[in-house]
Amino acid sequence: MRDFWKAQVEIERFLSLEARLLEQNRFDEWIDLFTDDVHYVMPVRESVEPAATGGAAAHSTGFALFDDDKRSLELRARRIETGLAHAEIPLSVTQRLITNVLVEDSDVAGEYMVGSNFLVYQERRGRHSHTFIGSRRDRFVMVGQKWKIDYREISLAQTVMPATISIFF
Amino acid sequence: MTQFQSIVRPEKGLIGSEVFSQELYELELERVFGKSWLFVGHDSMIPNKHDYVTHYMGEEPVIVLRDSKGAVRVFLNKCRHRGNALCLYDRGNAQSFTCSYHGWTFTDGDLTGIPYYKKAYLEELDMNEWGLIEAPRIDTCGGLIFACWDANVMPLDDFLNEGKWYLENFLLQEEMGGLEVLPGPQRYIMPINWKLLAENFAGDDYHFVSTHASVGQALSAGQDNRIAVTPGAVRENTHDFSVVTGYRNGVPHGFLELKCGPGPLDQDLNQAKSMSKEAVEWVTERHRRLQERMSAFDSNPHSFHAGNIFPNLALIGAGSALYGKGLICHHPRGPNKTEVWMWCAIEKSAPEEVKERQRFVLLQRQAAAGMVAPDDHENFQRISENLHSPESRKWPLHYGMALGHDDDDPRPTELRNDRQWPGHLIPQYSEVIQREFYRYWNTLMTADGHE
């Protein structure tokens, strides 16, 4: 039980620090929070009849918004750092609220499934803003002495997104 | 002089920003979207009886249904009683649709159930008169489903004109098994008039270098080249053109980055070699069949990369065997707002690994969270900010690239003796397609004596 609460406190702190890295556009340090074999995915949301399926299905076999590994996340970061990616010129101001952090045991001892909710406010050039809202499901594993994420599934609450996405979640 | 003659002047290379006004937006919903064949889906989205998807035709919400006899039909998603939305889901399978307000029920579009028909209606309402409003014209091209609200519209084949050749040969690949559309479209807002998206996909190869420079530079700096499947790196011996169909008197569909030469195949094969023997074999066979179809041409025609079927179906990814085919519907939502619905179609006959790669490349590139579309979004946002203030809107936009050379043959001497491709061939960088787009838009807006 003591390990569990220790993990809850450490992981909450991890997620807050992660949000700060993204707010400060420190992409390499952010990517370093993931394992080398990370799977980073944001499915597409749609509602399907009959409603018995839950009405809102996320299809792993269908299309997706993100379906990335470490190499493609790094390529995305390199693109922004070229200084030629207009969607991030000037860099967006983002403010990130991370809440409802729930650490749960996984099938493997010492690894945890972690749910969190997020609200990400994105400001463009002082003229436009978008808000993305949703939840994440992360798997935390210990690599060396450090927590890392080896799986992240991001579920946006929005079906029609307010804008294209040039930021990370 | 009508207002249109003063604001739409493609022959002078000038388009007034009034074409993006609220006033004309409302007119074009009727005159453009009400009179054109519109993309409403693909056969593979509704394979079985009673399968449906909901969609939009312009701003009209519709149900695209495979009925109990197996025919595809398109209905306004609106109860005939008080107009309530009938179907609430993106897709599904339903024997009938029942309205949530008073419970009227529709089967295959027919009104088949009215609560208290005897007690409330005294059995006097003629139920045959009150079926769902149905699009009078529907037709398909290689699995792509189109519908039109105008019963007198020209046949779909005439509407697609020379564009059909490009769709059938380079996108739909029916002899290779055709396309399979993955469930779940990406949906997002673009803060711009739908026409700027249409003219971009139809005819704007010119913006790639400036708008999308970051992708190429990141690829050359990075370790991951899986999405490097547009033949920028293999320009040697490869020629690049664009084409507009219906030139001067028909419907203008545009196709960009038509390649001739060995470059595209080399690029695909290099990628496939890093995957598997099976991937190499499939890419090779796919190319062999393409060559067979193109045997009448000496110039080794390959494909197009992006395009637009008038008015609002944009296409991306047809230029590579390893790029998912994006079917992108630009639903108008106001003078400065477009709701984009983008499906990923993969090639049915491809090995599983290739299908995975097609999906991956599309979502990493020209997609909502990809490395291409967000930069377009930003430019479009900046344009929208500058369209409507009184001084700003006085000044027309420039569409005059190489004006006066629209009929020049863009082919180099060594290709001049080859057979002409269908449609009107133009240089890679050109604004002929945009000028043709507004020429035809103007024709629709002023048809039937409208001013």
Side-chain angles (χ1 to χ4, degrees), chain A residues 3-147:
Chain A
D3 284 352
F4 181 87
W5 287 112
K6 187 164 171 274
Q8 169 84 29
V9 170
E10 287 175 356
I11 286 168
E12 280 191 34
R13 183 172 165 77
F14 178 108
L15 291 174
S16 294
L17 289 169
E18 182 204 358
R20 189 168 72 183
L21 288 178
L22 285 174
E23 286 169 356
Q24 296 175 348
N25 299 300
R26 290 155 63 183
F27 301 121
D28 284 345
E29 290 165 79
W30 176 69
I31 289 171
D32 198 42
L33 300 177
F34 298 99
T35 61
D36 289 341
D37 62 349
V38 64
H39 186 194
Y40 178 96
V41 59
M42 181 191 280
V44 168
R45 180 181 288 277
E46 59 173 348
S47 59
V48 182
E49 189 179 22
T53 59
H59 293 273
S60 56
T61 56
F63 202 18
L65 289 152
F66 284 90
D67 195 344
D68 280 56
D69 52 26
K70 202 158 193 175
R71 280 199 297 160
S72 61
L73 288 175
E74 280 166 357
L75 185 64
R76 289 171 181 275
R78 292 292 85 76
R79 184 183 90 86
I80 294 168
E81 288 165 359
T82 61
L84 300 168
H86 305 290
E88 289 297 315
I89 302 174
L91 285 164
S92 294
V93 173
T94 65
Q95 217 74 78
R96 293 151 186 275
L97 310 183
I98 310 295
T99 72
N100 304 49
V101 179
L102 263 180
V103 176
E104 292 174 306
D105 284 322
S106 79
D107 298 338
V108 180
E111 298 184 4
Y112 296 97
M113 292 307 298
V114 179
S116 60
N117 289 358
F118 64 81
L119 186 151
V120 177
Y121 175 84
Q122 178 189 16
E123 175 100 357
R124 292 291 310 138
R125 297 179 287 119
R127 293 191 54 88
H128 301 284
S129 62
H130 313 293
T131 301
F132 295 96
I133 197 161
S135 65
R136 297 180 302 196
R137 194 156 171 77
D138 299 329
R139 185 166 57 224
F140 274 75
V141 300
M142 193 61 92
V143 177
Q145 298 299 310
K146 286 183 175 165
W147 286 116

Side-chain angles (χ1 to χ4, degrees), chain B residues 174-431:
Chain B
E174 285 176 278
E175 85 293 348
M176 284 291 285
L179 299 178
E180 174 186 343
V181 178
L182 297 178
Q186 296 184 352
R187 282 175 277 195
Y188 58 96
I189 299 297
M190 274 282 188
I192 194 76
N193 188 281
W194 69 274
K195 293 192 288 303
L196 276 159
L197 288 156
E199 61 156 71
N200 174 276
F201 277 91
D204 204 317
D205 215 23
Y206 185 46
H207 82 292
F208 280 96
V209 172
S210 176
T211 298
H212 302 304
S214 63
V215 186
Q217 197 159 119
L219 280 169
S220 57
Q223 302 298 310
D224 184 2
N225 71 346
R226 286 171 293 177
I227 68 165
V229 293
T230 49
V234 212
R235 289 242 181 254
E236 225 173 302
N237 298 323
T238 300
H239 297 288
D240 223 330
F241 305 105
S242 301
V243 78
V244 61
T245 74
Y247 184 57
R248 292 278 160 94
N249 53 29
V251 189
H253 312 297
F255 300 93
L256 291 181
E257 289 194 26
L258 298 164
K259 308 278 183 197
C260 302
L265 176 65
D266 293 348
Q267 181 107 41
D268 281 353
L269 279 177
N270 283 340
Q271 287 281 352
K273 278 174 195 158
S274 72
M275 295 166 68
S276 68
K277 189 164 161 276
E278 209 190 355
V280 172
E281 282 168 5
W282 181 78
V283 167
T284 308
E285 172 61 14
R286 183 184 186 273
H287 189 73
R288 190 190 66 73
R289 294 197 193 184
L290 177 67
Q291 294 283 77
E292 214 169 81
R293 265 180 286 142
M294 295 296 130
S295 57
F297 298 84
D298 298 327
S299 55
N300 201 1
H302 181 72
S303 179
F304 66 92
H305 172 56
N308 191 69
I309 301 301
F310 188 93
N312 67 333
L313 172 63
L315 307 167
I316 193 86
S320 165
L322 300 167
Y323 200 138
K325 279 59 191 156
L327 305 176
I328 311 170
C329 207
H330 290 125
H331 296 303
R333 286 290 181 272
N336 269 345
K337 189 175 170 188
T338 300
E339 189 173 311
V340 184
W341 288 22
M342 174 176 182
W343 284 268
C344 174
I346 51 177
E347 294 179 54
K348 255 189 198 163
S349 66
E352 216 42 51
E353 184 187 11
V354 172
K355 287 179 177 172
E356 279 293 310
R357 179 62 64 90
Q358 291 179 339
R359 172 179 175 275
F360 176 78
V361 171
L362 182 61
L363 74 86
Q364 295 288 334
R365 294 190 65 119
Q366 180 66 48
M371 287 179 251
V372 176
D375 290 339
D376 291 314
H377 178 113
E378 177 70 21
N379 282 335
F380 290 144
Q381 178 82 70
R382 296 176 193 179
I383 292 169
S384 277
E385 289 165 19
N386 283 334
L387 282 177
H388 301 297
S389 51
E391 185 63 25
S392 180
R393 73 175 173 231
K394 276 185 204 165
W395 303 93
L397 305 175
H398 189 259
Y399 287 79
M401 184 191 291
L403 197 65
H405 297 274
D406 292 9
D407 292 319
D408 295 359
D409 189 340
R411 294 177 297 178
T413 328
E414 69 267 27
L415 296 181
R416 289 265 165 106
N417 291 327
D418 195 15
R419 189 176 172 157
Q420 180 68 267
W421 297 28
H424 182 62
L425 203 64
I426 51 179
Q428 178 189 7
Y429 300 131
S430 167
E431 286 175 348

Side-chain angles (χ1 to χ4, degrees), chain B residues 29-332:
Chain B
L29 287 180
E30 291 173 25
R31 298 181 192 175
V32 176
F33 288 92
K35 299 282 181 185
S36 300
W37 283 97
L38 302 174
F39 171 76
V40 292
H42 184 270
D43 270 334
S44 65
M45 295 174 181
I46 45 170
N48 304 308
K49 287 176 184 174
H50 308 296
D51 282 351
Y52 70 85
V53 291
T54 50
H55 200 102
Y56 284 89
M57 293 171 68
E59 290 213 37
E60 315 288 354
V62 294
I63 303 168
V64 182
L65 172 75
R66 192 172 296 278
D67 74 9
S68 60
K69 295 190 180 68
V72 179
R73 300 172 66 183
V74 175
F75 302 102
L76 214 51
N77 186 4
K78 177 179 179 176
C79 178
R80 287 301 302 282
H81 181 217
R82 287 289 196 284
N84 190 17
L86 202 53
C87 177
L88 307 174
Y89 297 96
D90 296 319
R91 64 185 171 91
N93 182 284
Q95 304 273 340
S96 59
F97 299 97
T98 298
C99 177
S100 56
Y101 194 5
H102 303 91
W104 283 27
T105 294
F106 300 86
T107 310
D108 287 349
D110 298 332
L111 177 58
T112 49
I114 294 185
Y116 306 109
Y117 184 56
K118 189 171 180 183
K119 189 173 172 186
Y121 285 89
L122 313 177
E123 296 182 323
E124 287 174 0
L125 178 74
D126 183 357
M127 290 169 67
N128 294 322
E129 294 277 310
W130 293 91
L132 296 180
I133 303 296
E134 182 167 10
R137 299 288 296 277
I138 186 158
D139 204 350
T140 62
C141 171
L144 300 173
I145 307 167
F146 294 85
C148 183
W149 289 114
D150 179 6
N152 300 315
V153 70
M154 67 183 93
L156 179 64
D157 274 7
D158 296 349
F159 182 88
L160 293 175
N161 55 44
E162 304 102 323
K164 198 172 172 191
W165 187 85
Y166 291 91
L167 292 176
E168 286 179 341
N169 282 302
F170 301 135
L171 176 74
L172 302 168
Q173 314 268 5
E174 285 176 278
E175 85 293 348
M176 284 291 285
L179 299 178
E180 174 186 343
V181 178
L182 297 178
Q186 296 184 352
R187 282 175 277 195
Y188 58 96
I189 299 297
M190 274 282 188
I192 194 76
N193 188 281
W194 69 274
K195 293 192 288 303
L196 276 159
L197 288 156
E199 61 156 71
N200 174 276
F201 277 91
D204 204 317
D205 215 23
Y206 185 46
H207 82 292
F208 280 96
V209 172
S210 176
T211 298
H212 302 304
S214 63
V215 186
Q217 197 159 119
L219 280 169
S220 57
Q223 302 298 310
D224 184 2
N225 71 346
R226 286 171 293 177
I227 68 165
V229 293
T230 49
V234 212
R235 289 242 181 254
E236 225 173 302
N237 298 323
T238 300
H239 297 288
D240 223 330
F241 305 105
S242 301
V243 78
V244 61
T245 74
Y247 184 57
R248 292 278 160 94
N249 53 29
V251 189
H253 312 297
F255 300 93
L256 291 181
E257 289 194 26
L258 298 164
K259 308 278 183 197
C260 302
L265 176 65
D266 293 348
Q267 181 107 41
D268 281 353
L269 279 177
N270 283 340
Q271 287 281 352
K273 278 174 195 158
S274 72
M275 295 166 68
S276 68
K277 189 164 161 276
E278 209 190 355
V280 172
E281 282 168 5
W282 181 78
V283 167
T284 308
E285 172 61 14
R286 183 184 186 273
H287 189 73
R288 190 190 66 73
R289 294 197 193 184
L290 177 67
Q291 294 283 77
E292 214 169 81
R293 265 180 286 142
M294 295 296 130
S295 57
F297 298 84
D298 298 327
S299 55
N300 201 1
H302 181 72
S303 179
F304 66 92
H305 172 56
N308 191 69
I309 301 301
F310 188 93
N312 67 333
L313 172 63
L315 307 167
I316 193 86
S320 165
L322 300 167
Y323 200 138
K325 279 59 191 156
L327 305 176
I328 311 170
C329 207
H330 290 125
H331 296 303

